[in-house]
Amino acid sequence: PVATLGFLPNHRLAAIRDASFEDQAVIWSTESGDRVVPARRVSGRFPTFGLGGRAIHYWQGKAVVSANTNTWELTRSPIPLPEEPVLQMAMDPTARTAVTRSQTGLIQAHKAGRPPITLARESNRMGPLAISQDGLRAAAVNTTTGVLTVWSLDDGKELCRHETVHSECRAFSPDGSQVYFGPTTRSALDPCVIGLDTTTGKVATRFAGHLWKVHAIAVSGSGQSLATIGLDGLVRVWDS
């Protein structure tokens, strides 16, 4: 399975795939579909691609570190992390804002230089956390109730809700106006990747093509391209 997708400079698309708990970064050309560099091991959790694909951010031990995708040198992020064990995490491309869910179900926003903001406490099972590229919004689906919630990371307030069926949040558009989610099971009633308006909570766009679960979604920095990878083994790049 693929943990995350990201667009890189020079028409390249990268993926972090989980290979027996040793995540590997694989980079392809979006023009030819060919792999352009050998796989690299990423020895951490919750990988996120940075701005322009120039870095991969991930959680390692008690800190967030960033690996340069050209030199693979590591730097540390100033994000203050929670003391409780973290089950889920999402970071913005600058690695200065993160959203976490702890073992007790506490969902919090963490920004460099300020105390954490509590968004919710969810005792039910949650799908992956998603964070907008500007670090201003976050979203997740309660997989027990099927409700997708979008929060503001400025004040922690809920922006909108939307009822889904067998879906998980995966990515935001660059301006945060849409959050994209896709099916999690082969039996999903609507096997489309859907863009939800984060202001109104209504469906704005649909991308039909995958038949089964969608593992990961990425949006280019310009917002003009959307990439998806599914359980059907296909990587698709769409005009958004």
Side-chain angles (χ1 to χ4, degrees), residues 141 146-147 162-168 181-185 187-190:
V141 174
V147 174
H162 180 81
E163 291 188 5
T164 72
V165 179
H166 302 303
S167 297
E168 290 177 343
F181 60 93
T184 60
T185 67
S187 60
L189 297 179
D190 189 0

Side-chain angles (χ1 to χ4, degrees), residues 15-28:
I16 306 284
R17 67 182 185 190
D18 183 357
S20 301
F21 302 101
E22 293 183 3
D23 288 344
Q24 292 181 316
V26 183
I27 300 176
W28 297 279

Side-chain angles (χ1 to χ4, degrees), residues 2-103:
V2 170
T4 188
L5 279 174
F7 280 91
L8 278 65
N10 302 322
H11 304 289
R12 294 184 300 168
L13 179 67
I16 306 284
R17 67 182 185 190
D18 183 357
S20 301
F21 302 101
E22 293 183 3
D23 288 344
Q24 292 181 316
V26 183
I27 300 176
W28 297 279
S29 165
T30 54
E31 294 178 334
S32 66
D34 296 330
R35 183 184 295 185
V36 294
V37 298
R40 296 268 189 161
R41 181 178 175 185
V42 178
S43 56
R45 300 174 64 196
F46 316 117
T48 301
F49 283 100
L51 289 171
R54 297 179 181 87
I56 299 172
H57 313 303
Y58 54 90
W59 188 42
Q60 187 180 68
K62 294 288 185 179
V64 171
V65 298
S66 299
N68 185 292
T69 51
N70 289 321
T71 65
W72 296 94
E73 294 178 356
L74 300 181
T75 55
R76 291 170 67 95
S77 165
I79 298 175
L81 294 178
E83 296 183 0
E84 292 186 63
V86 172
L87 293 181
Q88 293 168 282
M89 175 186 288
M91 288 173 277
D92 78 333
T94 67
R96 296 184 64 84
T97 304
V99 179
T100 61
R101 179 173 179 260
S102 69
Q103 283 186 337

